Amino acid sequence: MSWESSCVLLHPAAGVLHRWETMSGNEDDWLALKPQEPSPSQCCGSGCKPCIYDVYEKELAQWERAKAKQDKSFLMEKKEQVNLSHPRALISNNSELNPDTFTAFNISSVEQLTEDTYQYKFELPGNSSLRLSLGQHIVLRGVVNGLEVQRAYTPISPGNAEGYFEVLIKCYEAGLMSRYIKTWKKGDTVFWRGPFGGFPYQPNKHGELLMLASGTGLAPMLPILQSITDDEEDETFVTLVGCFRTFDKIYLKSLLQDLARYWNIRIFYVLSQETSLEKLPWSYQENTYIGRLNEDLTKTIINSCRRKPFVLICGSSTFNEDMSRYLKAAGIKENSCFVF
């Protein structure tokens, strides 16, 4: 069999390399080049645009067009990428995030915040920035025992942070992605794509923001808070309610304390597994509730807001559903809420 040239192409939806040849291919040759449909584990479930299934559909249409014309050069429309099947093997020099393809970033530091939650810092070349809009998330790709997994995480660093970005990640005992993340150490290379989503925040558009966050749902709230405190002309009031199991599991205490010193920022904590306020440091006792954030407590916090709030919600699906129900009972309309 002869050919004029050959080239290696990556189908990002499947993370698999294929080799094509400029020859008069038969049916088996074309089937070998057909994009593989992603498995459910490859979708992070966060409504990304494009979703990995969108990428697959685009590549499938491209493959079908090439096959119909019996011209494999149509497959060269793909962008050059690194081999994602071996995430430690190749490093991309391009620091630009791309929603369609994965970009390699090096881990510059790992900090354990609680027994199961970590803060990871990633390098960006020079003074470059991810230039994220507020609350946008990015998608991580991992491979565990040959199975590709993708999950969405929201950087907690300011969107215009130069030379780095930081991500807050909770690892779960039985989580596939968690098994991959727990292997990370300083200097490792991992792959991200994005950005996606985000909250279209405008300074002074809302009289007050009420942020309801459970655990790592705190992540998308932090860039918005920091944006408000960094803007001297932004007079938006903010009430942040952070829900955690115990005092020890509150993330980023020093950062939250610094933010709470601003005249327009209030921060409350709801601790579901603490038994007494007296066990907490005195500086936390006044702004902490014991138990769960239920309908009555939600109404109490809403009534304490200085202005009619626009509500941001981020947590587990159960938490988000509960909060939406409590807000409706408290008279907050659906168009006055945003769920990350």
Side-chain angles (χ1 to χ4, degrees):
M1 184 178 295
S2 63
W3 61 85
E4 298 174 1
S5 63
S6 66
C7 179
V8 174
L9 291 178
L10 171 69
H11 293 282
V16 177
L17 288 171
H18 295 280
R19 182 174 297 275
W20 67 270
E21 295 136 357
T22 55
M23 59 184 179
S24 55
N26 56 32
E27 188 69 18
D28 289 339
D29 293 328
W30 282 106
L31 288 176
L33 293 171
K34 186 177 181 180
Q36 297 180 21
E37 184 174 0
S39 66
S41 68
Q42 290 177 273
C43 178
C44 69
S46 298
C48 305
K49 294 295 181 182
C51 171
I52 195 166
Y53 285 101
D54 297 329
V55 176
Y56 164 71
E57 292 294 340
K58 179 180 177 181
E59 290 204 336
L60 182 62
Q62 187 173 321
W63 174 83
E64 289 173 343
R65 184 167 62 252
K67 184 174 183 293
K69 294 182 178 293
Q70 288 293 299
D71 186 351
K72 295 183 176 116
S73 67
F74 279 88
L75 300 177
M76 280 300 293
E77 295 175 14
K78 298 178 185 294
K79 297 180 180 179
E80 182 179 351
Q81 301 175 63
V82 297
N83 181 353
L84 297 184
S85 295
H86 304 281
R88 296 180 191 273
L90 296 174
I91 300 176
S92 170
N93 293 322
N94 177 18
S95 65
E96 294 286 335
L97 273 175
N98 188 313
D100 296 305
T101 62
F102 287 91
T103 302
F105 295 93
N106 288 338
I107 300 173
S108 59
S109 69
V110 178
E111 181 180 358
Q112 185 169 359
L113 301 181
T114 68
E115 62 183 15
D116 57 9
T117 305
Y118 301 80
Q119 182 176 343
Y120 297 95
K121 189 173 185 178
F122 296 85
E123 295 177 0
L124 292 173
N127 293 323
S128 61
S129 169
L130 289 184
R131 296 187 296 276
L132 299 182
S133 298
L134 293 176
Q136 284 192 307
H137 65 267
I138 55 181
V139 173
L140 170 69
R141 178 189 185 274
V143 178
V144 181
N145 295 334
L147 178 66
E148 180 177 312
V149 186
Q150 297 186 24
R151 296 289 184 269
Y153 300 96
T154 303
I156 60 174
S157 47
N160 59 354
E162 296 182 346
Y164 76 97
F165 68 94
E166 294 175 307
V167 181
L168 181 69
I169 299 179
K170 180 175 181 178
C171 292
Y172 295 89
E173 185 80 23
L176 279 176
M177 183 61 85
S178 296
R179 288 169 57 187
Y180 166 61
I181 291 171
K182 286 178 181 179
T183 68
W184 288 358
K185 59 185 181 300
K186 181 179 178 179
D188 282 351
T189 300
V190 298
F191 292 87
W192 298 92
R193 71 180 179 101
F196 305 101
F199 172 61
Y201 178 75
Q202 297 177 22
N204 298 308
K205 178 179 180 180
H206 307 289
E208 181 158 358
L209 291 179
L210 172 58
M211 299 177 171
L212 305 178
S214 175
T216 51
L218 181 68
M221 311 299 184
L222 291 176
I224 299 172
L225 273 168
Q226 292 171 318
S227 171
I228 292 171
T229 56
D230 288 345
D231 186 351
E232 293 182 356
E233 297 183 358
D234 193 342
E235 298 182 350
T236 303
F237 287 108
V238 180
T239 296
L240 168 65
V241 182
C243 300
F244 302 90
R245 282 184 285 175
T246 62
F247 177 78
D248 291 339
K249 293 188 180 297
I250 298 175
Y251 313 129
L252 307 169
K253 290 187 182 73
S254 59
L255 173 59
L256 294 174
Q257 285 179 318
D258 289 341
L259 289 169
R261 292 189 178 100
Y262 285 85
W263 64 273
N264 54 337
I265 307 295
R266 297 188 307 170
I267 298 180
F268 295 107
Y269 301 97
V270 180
L271 306 179
S272 62
Q273 294 182 8
E274 290 287 357
T275 57
S276 172
L277 290 175
E278 295 178 359
K279 296 180 180 179
L280 308 183
W282 68 268
S283 58
Y284 283 84
Q285 293 180 14
E286 186 176 354
N287 61 338
T288 300
Y289 297 92
I290 300 298
R292 294 189 176 275
L293 183 54
N294 55 28
E295 184 176 321
D296 290 339
L297 181 53
T298 302
K299 287 181 179 178
T300 298
I301 292 173
I302 290 173
N303 290 334
S304 74
C305 290
R306 293 145 290 194
R307 299 173 181 173
K308 184 178 180 180
F310 185 94
V311 187
L312 305 180
I313 307 170
C314 189
S316 66
S317 57
T318 300
F319 177 85
N320 294 345
E321 292 169 3
D322 288 344
M323 294 306 108
S324 297
R325 189 170 67 254
Y326 300 159
L327 292 171
K328 183 177 180 180
I332 301 295
K333 295 182 180 179
E334 189 173 343
N335 60 5
S336 293
C337 301
F338 182 91
V339 180
F340 286 98

